[in-house]
Amino acid sequence: MFNLENPRTGKIAKIEGKIKIELILMGRGKIVIQRIDDSTSRQVTFSKRRKKAKELAILCDAEVGLIIFSNTDKLYDFASSSMKSTIERFNKTKMEQQQLLNPASEVKREATTLRQELHSLQETHRQLMGHQLNGLSVKELHNIESQLEMSLRGIRMKKEQILTNEIKELTRKRNLVHHENLELSRKVQRIHQENVELHKKAYAVSIRNELGTSDIEDTADKSHAQVRLQLSLPEQSHYETSTNS
C-alpha cells in the first residue's frame, strides 16, 4: 500500500495492490443554491447560467427546450431542435403518462386523439394560408413552402387533366354534330331531288291532261259540225227544188 498526493487539491489517494482506488476530488466545493441579493451579481449569474441548457443539449445529446422570464419580464427561450416540436413532445409524453397513471376509457382516449388531430390540422391549415407563422424556424417555413409548391403542382396537373378531358369531350361532340349535319344535308338533298322528280312527274301529268282535254274538245266540235251538216242537207235540197221550180 502506498499513498498518492494530488498536487491540485492536496488530497491523498490510497492505492492497495492496484485494485482499491479512492477517487481524488478535482472540483470545487458545493455552492449553496439561494437567491442572490446583489442585482448586478444576479444578472451576471443569470446571463451565464442560461447558457447551460445549450451545453447540456450538446454534451448529453438531449432535446432541450427552455423558456425563461427574467425578473424584468424579459422572455428568453432556447430549443435544441424546435420549440414547437419540443412542446408537442412534452404534451404528448405528459398525456401518455397521465393515461398510464389514470387509465381512461377507449372512447375518451380516441376523442382526445381526434381533438389533437383536429387542432393540428387547423393549425396546419392556418399556416398554409399564411397565418400564425410567428415562431417558426427557417426549416419549418421551407417545409411549408415545399408543401404549397407540391399542392400547387398537383392542382395544376389535375386542372390540366380536367381541361384536356373536357377538350376531348367537346371535340367528340363536335365531330358527332358534324356527322349529323352531313347526314341531315344528304337527307335534305335526297328530299330535294325527290321533290324535283315529283314536280317533273306532276308537270308531265298536267301536260298530258291538258293535251287530252284539247283532243276531246276538238273531237266534240267535229261531231257537232257533222251533225249540223247532216241536218242542213235536206233544207238545202228543198231550197234548190223550190228555186228550180
Side-chain angles (χ1 to χ4, degrees), residues 131-182:
H131 305 298
Q132 295 185 357
L133 300 178
N134 295 331
L136 298 181
S137 63
V138 177
K139 184 178 180 181
E140 291 172 338
L141 292 174
H142 179 71
N143 291 334
I144 294 175
E145 184 180 6
S146 300
Q147 291 178 4
L148 289 173
E149 290 178 353
M150 292 178 62
S151 299
L152 287 174
R153 192 179 303 113
I155 291 171
R156 292 192 183 100
M157 291 177 61
K158 185 63 177 178
K159 180 181 177 182
E160 290 178 358
Q161 182 181 359
I162 293 174
L163 291 176
T164 302
N165 293 335
E166 289 181 354
I167 291 173
K168 290 181 180 179
E169 183 66 19
L170 291 175
T171 303
R172 186 187 67 82
K173 290 182 178 179
R174 184 194 64 183
N175 294 333
L176 182 61
V177 171
H178 179 68
H179 290 311
E180 290 179 353
N181 288 335
L182 291 178

Side-chain angles (χ1 to χ4, degrees), residues 112-140:
T112 303
T113 304
L114 291 175
R115 281 195 298 268
Q116 291 177 352
E117 292 179 356
L118 177 61
H119 177 73
S120 178
L121 290 174
Q122 289 175 346
E123 187 175 1
T124 302
H125 178 265
R126 287 191 293 267
Q127 290 175 354
L128 291 175
M129 295 298 293
H131 305 298
Q132 295 185 357
L133 300 178
N134 295 331
L136 298 181
S137 63
V138 177
K139 184 178 180 181
E140 291 172 338

Side-chain angles (χ1 to χ4, degrees), residues 141-236:
L141 292 174
H142 179 71
N143 291 334
I144 294 175
E145 184 180 6
S146 300
Q147 291 178 4
L148 289 173
E149 290 178 353
M150 292 178 62
S151 299
L152 287 174
R153 192 179 303 113
I155 291 171
R156 292 192 183 100
M157 291 177 61
K158 185 63 177 178
K159 180 181 177 182
E160 290 178 358
Q161 182 181 359
I162 293 174
L163 291 176
T164 302
N165 293 335
E166 289 181 354
I167 291 173
K168 290 181 180 179
E169 183 66 19
L170 291 175
T171 303
R172 186 187 67 82
K173 290 182 178 179
R174 184 194 64 183
N175 294 333
L176 182 61
V177 171
H178 179 68
H179 290 311
E180 290 179 353
N181 288 335
L182 291 178
E183 185 66 24
L184 290 174
S185 178
R186 286 193 290 268
K187 288 181 180 180
V188 170
Q189 290 179 357
R190 286 198 300 269
I191 293 172
H192 178 71
Q193 187 68 28
E194 291 175 357
N195 290 335
V196 171
E197 295 295 333
L198 290 174
H199 181 72
K200 289 181 179 180
K201 291 179 180 180
Y203 180 74
V205 170
S206 63
I207 293 298
R208 286 196 297 271
N209 291 334
E210 290 178 357
L211 292 177
T213 304
S214 300
D215 293 338
I216 292 171
E217 290 177 352
D218 294 340
T219 305
D221 293 338
K222 290 179 180 180
S223 62
H224 286 300
Q226 291 176 358
V227 171
R228 288 194 298 270
L229 181 61
Q230 292 175 359
L231 292 176
S232 61
L233 285 176
E235 293 180 355
Q236 185 176 3

